[in-house]
Amino acid sequence: MPRLRTLKEKFDLPLKFWIIALIAFINAVSFTIIIPMWFPIIKEVISRQIK
């Protein structure tokens, strides 16, 4: 268990930090994966509305 204790001391950050880090991670994932997946669909819907 000494390893666990040293890890806890290393990463003993406030809860607010972890919440912000989680939000930033979700935001990064959405911009790199989700939005590019939806882009062709959105582009097709918009082109159908213009014609």
Side-chain angles (χ1 to χ4, degrees):
M1 282 289 184
R3 280 183 126 181
L4 186 60
R5 188 172 293 158
T6 57
L7 278 176
K8 187 177 186 297
E9 289 171 1
K10 249 186 199 178
F11 298 107
D12 192 23
L13 296 166
L15 181 63
K16 188 176 183 179
F17 169 82
W18 292 113
I19 292 171
I20 292 170
L22 180 64
I23 291 170
F25 178 75
I26 291 170
N27 189 29
V29 167
S30 72
F31 275 104
T32 57
I33 296 173
I34 297 170
I35 292 175
M37 281 175 36
W38 279 93
F39 182 74
I41 297 167
I42 295 170
K43 189 175 174 183
E44 184 180 325
V45 168
I46 290 173
S47 67
R48 283 183 184 177
Q49 289 176 352
I50 291 173
K51 289 180 181 180

